[in-house]
Amino acid sequence: MSILTAEPGTRTKRRIALLAGAIVFVMLAGAIMLWAHLGTAVFLEAIRAGIAYCF
């Protein structure tokens, strides 16, 4: 008896990795743009406020 596994193929794994990488890149680019636009103090205050809002 053989058991069939539902493992994604290499193309699917590559697409998932590329998508995850693109999302991380966009988030980092957005953070850098906000930091450059708002300045360090305002940027860090906005991050702190966002984290406080989550909790």
Side-chain angles (χ1 to χ4, degrees), residues 20-37:
I23 290 171
V24 168
F25 176 77
V26 168
M27 290 176 69
L28 285 174
I32 290 170
M33 286 173 44
L34 282 173
W35 193 338
H37 180 70

Side-chain angles (χ1 to χ4, degrees), residues 1 17 19 36 43-44:
M1 240 187 208
L19 180 62
F43 176 77
L44 294 177

Side-chain angles (χ1 to χ4, degrees), residues 8-18:
T10 57
R11 289 182 72 185
T12 303
K13 288 180 184 178
R14 181 177 291 173
R15 286 182 183 169
I16 291 171
L18 287 173

